[in-house]
Amino acid sequence: MGLAKRTAHATTATVAALVDTQHDEALTGIPANYFEHRAEQLEKAVSELVSKKNEADKEYARQKVALTRELEEEKREMLKQWEVQKTARFEVLKETHDAHIKELEDEKVQLRQQAKDFRHQAAAYDRNKLRCSYLDCLRGKASVPKERAGMLLFQALMIGGMVTIMTSFNGYRHSGLDFFLNYHWMYPLTFCMTFLIREWFMNDFTEAIIHQFILPNFQGVKKATLITLTNIVCMVPLMSTLMTCMIYGVDNLGQTLMEQVPITIVVGACVNFFIVSPIVKMIYNNLIVANSAGETGTYTKFQEMIMPLLSAFNS
């Protein structure tokens, strides 16, 4: 609009100047309607400029609306992405929190179970019921540990007794007295292998079978017998295979196992049920957990030693 005003003002000034000198300029031969025609051209030019200015304003308004619409769309898209990211991050935060809470709950359950076991043991000390006899062990009445430290100690005693007897039995049956002279290294090796196998996967496997099929349906002697058979049937084929490979290699492995596994299962079950299991349970309950005065002794020291190691291993 400023350009149009300036143009109109300049045109008016020019026309006035030309009118003042019209007489003099007429002598030069300029047509009389020249100035009027020129003024019309300038006014037309002003009108065109005004029209262009209006078109520029309209184009600016259209572009502004389009840009606003585009920015709004980008804003909605960015908000949508932000909402997605926010939801994802909150989900990750919640999952982390839930996992941490689950760990705390599991630890709380374990601590409560340990406290319950210790209260039970404390009550048993007062009633002198921790001491058990050979018949108590055969009838399944002897208590076995449920806390982690006691389970490790009990398992080490059981494995030590079974490895000593069964390794000696199988070694003597195949090699005679020469086995005790040349293969005595198998005792610690077999113990370590058996202990690791039990810890890595066999404990979970046999416990699943025992809790699913035996404990809910059987009591007393039947329960103790079936638990023994479950452990023997699961362990003997695996350990027989490993021992046969160590002593004789893999030649005729299938035939050797077919001859060896059945008798080993029968002997192992009898040894476990009548010898190793009762003796270990009596030693654990009568000598380790409680002495003749009903006081804690060896087990307390063992627990004080092993619990920091277990805590470090679990963490």
Side-chain angles (χ1 to χ4, degrees), residues 176-194:
L177 294 176
D178 182 64
F179 175 81
F180 300 101
L181 297 177
N182 298 319
Y183 294 96
H184 52 273
W185 50 269
M186 287 195 64
Y187 290 100
L189 179 60
T190 306
F191 174 84
C192 293
M193 292 174 58
T194 306

Side-chain angles (χ1 to χ4, degrees), residues 189-209:
L189 179 60
T190 306
F191 174 84
C192 293
M193 292 174 58
T194 306
F195 191 87
L196 291 177
I197 289 172
R198 295 291 305 186
E199 280 295 306
W200 281 343
F201 64 90
M202 192 59 72
N203 279 341
D204 295 334
F205 182 71
T206 55
E207 284 296 320
I209 296 175

